[in-house]
Each structure stands twice: as structure tokens, then as C-alpha cells.
Amino acid sequence: MTTPDPEGVTRLPYQISHPREPLAILRERFSEYGYLFFPRAVDASLCSALLDSILEQLHPHVTMDRDSGVPCLVGEPFFETDLVWDEVYPKVQCLEDFHRFFHRPELARLMALVSGEDPFVYPMKMARIATPRKIGFETPPHQDAYSHHAGPTMAGVWVALHDVDSSMGRVTVLPRSHTRGVRQVFEADGVGGVQCHIYEDETEWHVSDYRQGDVLLFHSATVHKAEPNTASERVRISVDTRFCDHGAPVFSTNLEPHHGWRIPGLDWPAIYGGWKSRDGQYYWKDYPGLF
């Protein structure tokens, strides 16, 4: 069923993929649409465990509504780079299970479907905290190829840590947009501060309600955005990172912690300081494709 916008935009549900489909079919679909959507690809218990860890760091600003199983805002909304966000986000970045989450075998297998047998997972891991009542501050349409100075095989992987309905700021993609190259950008409100150009004939977006453990892979040039969180209290918390073929070019800033360039003290020694194991720390130090 299609959902037309007042502006003439049409939303269609995601094309669904399954990890056990033939590799050629999955890569052909990724090449055509610029994304792959895998429902329930990560076990719900793993998502719940990570979500609980993140919520501990967000206390008292965000708590879990145990009846709905969805995080809820306590107090005033906040936005990426706000004072509250800058207070809680370094705590999230220091979580060992947050960084190790993307190196799990089930996610590595999904990444390998589009990037070869040995994907390189970027050290920069992102947690997204989309609070309600911040309309106009959601992530605008953009391409990671621009913001991450992407090499030709970089892609993104995004995971829903809980169910996300249409009121909570779903991630939305513009199918086939990757075929038109890297676009011009202009200043815009919202996460990242820039928006890329959208052509007049690009009126069809793909989006679905998410279930806990859903995974979205998307090409570095695929235009994507966040819908506004129009819920009264519910907060959308998700996690994502970037990856590429091992040895492909990686711009050096992608080796830094997310927002480490602007939050004092948010660096790898601080992040690793409380980890139980040193295994996997600084795993990118000898990566051959830096520029």
C-alpha cells in the first residue's frame, strides 16, 4: 500500500531481503535500489541488552516504558550537540558492548554480502537518540559519500534496537539515488547541518515500520534521512556504523570517535579505559587504506 504526501512524495515499503538468498540476487538488488533491508536479522535479546546499557547512560533523561518496550523521554527534549546530549553521549561512547556490537558474526555476514568476505568495520560507531518535540531538527536528506569522504565501496549498517513506528522518526531511503553520484549540498537544520540536492523526479521514498533487530544496509551514495519524531514521549534509539572492502580507501577522520572532534576528552583512551578486555582495541592501527 502506498502513502502519498501532501507534497506529492510517495512512500513505499522496503524491498525485503533474506541473508540466505543467493548472493548474486542480493548484490543485484543492492546495485538496483542502493540498499538491503533484513527484518529481524539480529536476535532481539542482543538488541535489548545493548539498549539497556545505553539507557543506563541516558538516565534520568530517557527511561524504558516497560509496558510498550519503547524508550520514553523524561523532561525536556534534546538534540545532537545540545548540552544534555553532550553530557550523556560520551558515556554511551564508552560502552564496550556498543563498540563490539558491530563486530558480531551475524552483522559481519550481512556486511560481507555487499563488501566481500572480509569487511572492514569503521571504528567510528554512532548511537542515535531521536527525542520527540524537536520537529525540524531531524537528520535531513544526505549522502554518507559526502560526509564520510567515502571510498567507492563504503556502505552503512543501521540496526533498530527496539520497535519503531511511523511516529518515532523512521530512517527513510531514496531508492536508486546512488546511481546519480555525489550531489551538491547546502546548509540545513538538523543532524549534520547539511542537506543534499533532491531532483524533481525523485518523489518515491522507501520506509517501513521497524521491528527490534531489523537491519538496513545502504550504499554510501544512497540518499537517506530521518522522519520527524512526532510522538508525545517516545524516543527512537538506534545504532549504526560504516564499513567497506578490506583495504579500500578510508578517510582518516573515520578513525576518530563519533563527535570526538568537538567534545573534550572524548577520545580512545577515555573510551577504552573501562573495558574489561583489551581485545579488539585499536584494531585499525595498521589498516592499509588510510588517506
Side-chain angles (χ1 to χ4, degrees):
M1 179 178 181
T2 63
T3 307
D5 265 357
E7 300 83 6
V9 170
T10 298
R11 293 185 178 89
L12 296 176
Y14 283 127
Q15 295 285 323
I16 293 176
S17 297
H18 192 283
R20 295 179 181 174
E21 289 183 84
L23 180 59
I25 290 177
L26 290 170
R27 289 186 171 174
E28 180 180 357
R29 187 177 301 140
F30 187 74
S31 177
E32 178 180 358
Y33 290 101
Y35 75 87
L36 293 175
F37 177 64
F38 297 98
R40 312 301 288 271
V42 178
D43 190 87
S45 64
L46 298 173
C47 294
S48 292
L50 178 55
L51 180 60
D52 286 344
S53 294
I54 292 174
L55 287 172
E56 287 181 11
Q57 311 310 312
L58 300 184
H59 180 82
H61 306 287
V62 182
T63 61
M64 176 63 80
D65 180 353
R66 295 298 173 184
D67 292 333
S68 65
V70 171
C72 286
L73 181 68
V74 178
E76 294 301 311
F78 56 92
F79 164 74
E80 189 168 313
T81 72
D82 282 351
L83 289 177
V84 171
W85 195 90
D86 281 5
E87 171 198 339
V88 298
Y89 195 64
K91 300 176 184 178
V92 174
Q93 279 290 324
C94 287
L95 292 171
E96 184 174 1
D97 54 352
F98 167 55
H99 287 273
R100 295 197 185 281
F101 183 80
F102 288 99
H103 298 269
R104 297 192 57 85
E106 56 266 50
L107 283 172
R109 284 194 292 269
L110 294 182
M111 296 180 212
L113 295 174
V114 299
S115 70
E117 296 181 0
D118 186 22
F120 174 72
V121 181
Y122 282 23
M124 182 185 288
K125 314 296 195 300
M126 284 76 80
R128 311 295 182 177
I129 309 161
T131 69
R133 308 197 300 277
K134 292 293 284 188
I135 306 302
F137 290 87
E138 59 274 1
T139 306
H142 68 284
Q143 296 172 299
D144 287 345
Y146 171 84
S147 56
H148 289 268
H149 306 280
T153 66
M154 193 199 87
V157 52
W158 181 97
V159 183
L161 296 184
H162 56 82
D163 293 354
V164 180
D165 65 27
S166 60
S167 72
M168 296 171 64
R170 301 174 300 182
V171 174
T172 308
V173 305
L174 186 60
R176 304 180 181 89
S177 54
H178 64 300
T179 63
R180 302 174 92 157
V182 181
R183 307 169 182 222
Q184 292 183 331
V185 302
F186 53 91
E187 187 175 345
D189 292 330
V191 176
V194 296
Q195 175 175 329
C196 70
H197 178 71
I198 306 296
Y199 296 100
E200 290 186 2
D201 61 338
E202 294 179 317
T203 59
E204 178 185 299
W205 292 76
H206 287 191
V207 65
S208 299
D209 285 356
Y210 293 94
R211 300 292 302 277
Q212 186 178 51
D214 286 355
V215 175
L216 179 67
L217 303 182
F218 49 93
H219 190 281
S220 64
T222 296
V223 177
H224 57 290
K225 65 178 180 177
E227 296 177 326
N229 185 337
T230 60
S232 59
E233 303 295 339
R234 294 182 174 187
V235 178
R236 189 256 291 168
I237 299 177
S238 57
V239 292
D240 58 280
T241 191
R242 305 296 174 262
F243 65 97
C244 64
D245 288 341
H246 195 279
V250 174
F251 193 66
S252 58
T253 56
N254 291 290
L255 306 186
E256 302 172 4
H258 188 221
H259 280 273
W261 62 90
R262 52 168 296 276
I263 299 179
L266 181 53
D267 53 26
W268 292 116
I271 288 173
Y272 291 149
W275 283 26
K276 296 179 180 178
S277 172
R278 300 176 70 176
D279 181 50
Q281 296 182 9
Y282 300 106
Y283 65 90
W284 64 89
K285 283 292 188 180
D286 297 322
Y287 184 72
L290 295 180
F291 71 99

